[in-house]
Amino acid sequence: MFNFIVKSRIINKLKPSIINKRNFTIIGCGDKLRQDTNLSTNNKNINNQFSSNIINISTNKNEILLSSETQPQQQIQQQQQQQQQSQQQSQQQSQPQLQLPSPTLIGKLVTLRKMKIEDRDDILKASTDGELWNLKVTIVPGPTTVDKYIDTAMKGVLNCTVIPFVIINNENNQIIGSTRFWKVDLLNRKVEIGHTWLSKSIQRSGVNTECKYLLLKYAFEEMNAIRVQFTTDELNEASQKAILRIGAIKEGVIRHERIMPDGRKRNSIRYSIIDSEWEKVKLKLLNMMNK
C-alpha cells in the first residue's frame, strides 16, 4: 500500500467537496490503481471537471486511470531501476560473499553442530559443571538465563548474523559447552568467534584448541572470510593468553565495550587473524593438537 494524492489543474471552480488523500494498491505499472475497498470513501458526487490530459476519474467504477502521457516517464524510471539492480547484482557476483550455512564440524575430540532449542536441558547441564554462570568475566547460561540465552542465539540466526554451536564430546556424545560465529558481516566478509565456554571438567584438555581450529578453518576455507576477530574481557587473563597462543594479533582495547550483568562497564580487548595469516596460524594449531 502507498499513499496517492491527486493533484491536477482545475477547469471550473471547485465546490467544497474535494478529493481527499486516499490509499491505493498498485495493480500494475501503467495499469489501473484501484482504491482499497477496506478503507472508508467519500461518497459525495464529484462534479468538477479536471484536465483530461492529466487524469480521468470515474467515481462510478471507483477507479483511477493513469493518462497515457505519464507512461513514458514511468517506463524510463523502470528502465533506470532495472539498470541499477543489474549493476548491484553484477557487483555482488564479482565479489565472493560470506554464506550462512549450518555446518557440522567434526574433530578428533569434539563435534560442533548447530544449536537447537531442544538442547536447552543439555546446555544447562553442561554449564552446571562448575556453575559457570557465576563467572564475572563472561556470560554463561544458568537456570534463570538459559532460555534467554538460546532465544538470543535463535534471533541472531534469523537475522543472518549468528551461527551458534553446541560442543559435543565425541567419547560420550554429550554437550560440554557452546561457541558461535557472530557479528557476521556479509559485505565485508568478516566474522567474530565468541561466546565460547566449556564445562569445568573439560577445560585444559585440548578441546578449546580443536574448537578454534575447526571454526577458523571453516571461516577461512569455506566461508571465504578475510578477517576473523576475537573479543575478551580485559579482566579475563586466561582467555587473553589462549587467544594469543593460537596466533591471533592483539589490536587494542575497546573502552566500555559492553555492560555486564552485574552493571560493570567492561573494557574489552580485540584480537584478529586475517586471511593472509591463516596458513601460518593453521600450521601452528595443527602442531599444538598433535603434541
Side-chain angles (χ1 to χ4, degrees):
M1 301 294 295
F2 76 109
N3 291 326
F4 185 88
I5 303 175
V6 176
K7 294 182 180 179
S8 58
R9 292 187 285 108
I10 303 173
I11 293 179
N12 297 328
K13 291 185 178 179
L14 297 177
K15 293 181 180 181
S17 60
I18 292 297
I19 300 172
N20 295 323
K21 177 180 178 182
R22 300 182 182 179
N23 291 325
F24 296 87
T25 304
I26 295 180
I27 303 302
C29 182
D31 294 332
K32 301 175 182 179
L33 297 179
R34 299 187 182 276
Q35 184 177 350
D36 193 330
T37 57
N38 295 323
L39 300 176
S40 61
T41 60
N42 186 346
N43 293 324
K44 295 182 180 181
N45 292 327
I46 301 174
N47 298 320
N48 305 296
Q49 295 180 353
F50 291 80
S51 175
S52 61
N53 69 332
I54 297 179
I55 192 168
N56 294 323
I57 298 179
S58 172
T59 56
N60 294 328
K61 295 181 179 179
N62 210 18
E63 295 178 346
I64 293 180
L65 302 178
L66 293 179
S67 167
S68 60
E69 291 187 6
T70 64
Q71 293 180 6
Q73 183 178 359
Q74 290 177 342
Q75 291 175 357
I76 293 174
Q77 291 177 349
Q78 272 190 328
Q79 291 175 356
Q80 291 176 344
Q81 290 176 354
Q82 291 175 353
Q83 290 176 355
Q84 290 177 353
Q85 291 176 356
S86 298
Q87 291 176 354
Q88 290 176 355
Q89 291 176 356
S90 297
Q91 290 175 355
Q92 292 174 354
Q93 293 174 358
S94 64
Q95 294 181 354
Q97 297 290 312
L98 271 176
Q99 304 297 320
L100 287 185
S102 301
T104 297
L105 310 179
I106 303 174
K108 293 181 179 180
L109 302 176
V110 295
T111 295
L112 308 184
R113 71 154 170 82
K114 190 175 180 180
M115 181 188 295
K116 300 182 294 186
I117 297 176
E118 293 77 11
D119 293 324
R120 177 193 184 278
D121 292 342
D122 290 331
I123 289 174
L124 184 57
K125 181 180 178 181
S127 67
T128 301
D129 181 357
E131 296 186 351
L132 303 178
W133 57 82
N134 290 320
L135 295 172
K136 300 299 182 182
V137 294
T138 190
I139 298 177
V140 179
T144 61
T145 61
V146 63
D147 292 317
K148 183 179 179 181
Y149 177 85
I150 295 175
D151 183 61
T152 299
M154 295 301 107
K155 287 180 179 178
V157 173
L158 292 176
N159 292 330
C160 292
T161 59
V162 176
I163 305 176
F165 297 92
V166 289
I167 303 171
I168 300 174
N169 189 334
N170 287 343
E171 290 185 356
N172 53 25
N173 205 36
Q174 291 184 352
I175 291 177
I176 55 175
S178 181
T179 188
R180 70 186 62 173
F181 289 124
W182 70 307
K183 295 183 181 178
V184 178
D185 185 337
L186 295 172
L187 180 62
N188 296 296
R189 293 163 51 204
K190 63 181 181 178
V191 65
E192 180 165 330
I193 294 174
H195 292 270
T196 304
W197 56 270
L198 291 167
S199 299
K200 187 175 182 180
S201 60
I202 301 297
Q203 295 174 10
R204 300 180 184 280
S205 63
V207 166
N208 185 50
T209 301
E210 185 172 86
C211 285
K212 292 298 187 292
Y213 170 77
L214 292 172
L215 291 168
L216 286 167
K217 186 176 187 297
Y218 194 83
F220 285 117
E221 298 182 10
E222 302 297 332
M223 296 175 70
N224 197 33
I226 65 168
R227 170 186 168 89
V228 177
Q229 65 184 35
F230 306 84
T231 306
T232 189
D233 196 315
E234 68 173 353
L235 302 181
N236 194 345
E237 295 182 358
S239 178
Q240 294 172 39
K241 291 178 181 178
I243 294 172
L244 287 172
R245 191 166 61 94
I246 66 174
I249 303 299
K250 180 178 178 180
E251 295 183 331
V253 177
I254 307 172
R255 300 182 299 165
H256 289 186
E257 189 259 343
R258 71 185 71 173
I259 298 176
M260 299 299 284
D262 61 0
R264 176 172 63 91
K265 299 173 184 177
R266 167 179 143 170
N267 293 334
S268 298
I269 302 179
R270 175 67 51 78
Y271 303 82
S272 72
I273 300 170
I274 60 176
D275 52 353
S276 60
E277 300 165 343
W278 166 235
E279 287 302 322
K280 182 179 179 179
V281 171
K282 180 180 180 179
L283 290 174
K284 185 174 184 178
L285 286 169
L286 288 172
N287 289 333
M288 291 169 62
M289 290 187 295
N290 290 331
K291 288 182 178 180

